[in-house]
DNA sequence: GGACAAACAGAATGAACATTCTGATACAGA
DNA sequence: TCTGTATCAGAATGTTCATTCTGTTTGTCC
């Protein structure tokens, strides 16, 4: 019975992810989201709750997308170093595609995190640790294949890669040119191979 | 003649720097600044202009402080690698001092930067390049002293250090423990010595 | 000591925002 | 085709914010 929903919650959430990851939580207004999704306030609030809850779902979705798009492949045993390189290259590509104005929801969230919001901090930490872990697994494959230094501490290196990846995004956002970003990727990979 | 100003603009600006660097531009209200400085709206607006202009001066001051406190020493020729380590250690220390809730005005600004605000982007890029350059100079001294790999590309490595430093702050903000952050610093330095 | 002008505290203003409300709409089921 | 109800667009509400205004205070110079 009754009227059917005129929008797809999943695609609406995707739009919200785009907005939040480009502008962060506080700079993104519900008005922005209504406009970008084409969904009425009623629909947004009814489906996602309030802004805060929508954000949490967006963060969840963002992490999921990042995993599927980039990090899952690190768990496969083949061509591990190439996969790591690909992840960094994609980030650089993203950053240089100026018209898309891509940001990073993790960095935005980390910076805007209220000191007392332990719950979101925990969620974010979980996602970042997952990234480090994926890097470490990839590095271990690469190590077994002789693609990186035999004595590489893959756990520590995974954390370093995570850190450098975020730094790369910060520099990209600041408008550093592609050559510089590519150079950082190159140095990073070089430090793994010794 | 007439009444004298009851506050010191320089210390007021310092407070503003603290607020902006911990919470970023948009999450910091003029009310916050009035409260934290103890200066009246009249004094703030009269001395610094509007919020935007105050922010620009805060960014300038932040960069200056960072240079004096951390990066100037890299231009001295002695003990270069130790200086680089000290800079990273101080960052880690800052991040782990939870009660201070220190952030990073550069990262906040990079992330919040409107895509069309080329002026602020330029300013920020200038500051970040200065950091890269300081690292490169320090690395060159270190190279001459045999503290790092003889074939190190100091320019590229300087940019990598800059990137990693920002990433370190992002992880610190997310609540990664000291051991992990120290590990990242260790790996970073290890990658320089080969 | 008195007068002036700049500095003060805080009220006033107008815009933006998150959230709720309202009256109109349109679709499933009879 | 008709009814009922969930959905819609956008108006209403109450809060927060940046900025300006106002009436008061105070330090300096004559």
């Amino acid at each position: 019975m009754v009227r059917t929903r005129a929008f797809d919650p999943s695609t609406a959430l995707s739009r919200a992810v785009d907005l939040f990851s480009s502008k962060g939580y506080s700079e993104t207004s519900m008005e922005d989201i209504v406009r970008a999704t084409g969904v009425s306030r009623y629909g947004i609030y009814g489906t996602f709750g309030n802004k805060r809850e929508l954000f949490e779902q967006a963060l969840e979705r963002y992490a999921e997308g990042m995993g599927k798009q980039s990090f899952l492949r690190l768990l496969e045993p083949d061509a591990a170093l190439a996969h790591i390189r690909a992840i960094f290259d994609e980030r650089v590509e993203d950053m240089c595609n100026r018209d898309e104005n891509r940001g990073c929801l993790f960095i935005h969230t980390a910076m805007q995190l209220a000191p007392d919001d332990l719950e979101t901090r925990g969620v974010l930490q979980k996602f970042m640790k997952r990234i480090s872990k994926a890097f470490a697994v990839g590095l271990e494959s690469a190590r077994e294949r002789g693609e990186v230094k035999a004595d590489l501490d893959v756990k520590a290196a995974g954390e370093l890669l995570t850190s450098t990846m975020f730094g790369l995004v910060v520099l990209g956002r600041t408008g550093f040119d592609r050559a510089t970003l590519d150079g950082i990727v190159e140095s990073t990979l070089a430090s793994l191979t010794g």
Side-chain angles (χ1 to χ4, degrees), chain A:
Chain A
M1 53 169 159
V2 310
R3 190 168 173 177
T4 48
R5 189 152 46 190
F7 69 98
D8 173 30
S10 179
T11 63
L13 185 56
S14 284
R15 292 285 163 80
V17 167
D18 291 343
L19 286 174
F20 280 133
S21 56
S22 120
K23 308 204 292 176
Y25 179 79
S26 54
E27 295 267 81
T28 302
S29 69
M30 291 301 265
E31 181 70 30
D32 289 339
I33 289 167
V34 165
R35 207 173 13 237
T37 57
V39 177
S40 69
R41 280 160 173 64
Y42 178 94
I44 299 289
Y45 280 92
T47 308
F48 301 108
N50 59 19
K51 186 181 180 183
R52 177 86 209 160
E53 290 166 320
L54 171 58
F55 171 77
E56 281 159 15
Q57 291 167 69
L59 185 59
E60 212 66 54
R61 167 70 73 91
Y62 180 82
E64 191 189 308
M66 212 172 179
K68 276 193 192 138
Q69 192 194 314
S70 297
F71 291 98
L72 265 181
R73 76 184 90 154
L74 288 178
L75 306 184
E76 297 161 16
D78 61 310
L81 192 60
H83 285 164
I84 290 172
R85 177 188 290 277
I87 287 170
F88 276 87
D89 284 346
E90 283 157 18
R91 281 269 112 172
V92 171
E93 186 63 41
D94 253 15
M95 287 302 119
C96 294
N97 248 341
R98 191 56 47 80
D99 22 295
E100 298 221 14
N101 187 37
R102 301 278 288 161
C104 172
L105 192 48
F106 287 165
I107 303 179
H108 266 122
T109 306
M111 299 309 288
Q112 295 198 341
L113 215 48
D116 58 332
D117 184 357
L118 297 178
E119 192 185 329
T120 308
R121 162 164 296 146
V123 170
L124 194 59
Q125 209 178 110
K126 180 183 72 183
F127 292 144
M128 290 194 183
K129 281 182 175 163
R130 205 174 283 173
I131 291 176
S132 287
K133 178 72 182 173
F135 272 135
V137 169
L139 285 170
E140 177 57 26
S141 302
R143 205 179 61 77
E144 283 162 10
R145 297 160 52 90
E147 293 176 346
V148 299
K149 283 188 290 195
D151 63 344
L152 188 72
D153 177 344
V154 295
K155 184 168 183 302
E159 283 154 357
L160 177 59
L161 287 184
T162 305
S163 187
T164 302
M165 190 185 65
F166 289 132
L168 194 68
V169 172
V170 172
L171 296 197
R173 269 246 146 181
T174 310
F176 275 71
D177 60 23
R178 188 181 198 110
T180 303
L181 303 184
D182 281 340
I184 290 171
V185 173
E186 218 48 60
S187 307
T188 300
L189 295 175
S191 77
L192 299 171
T193 56

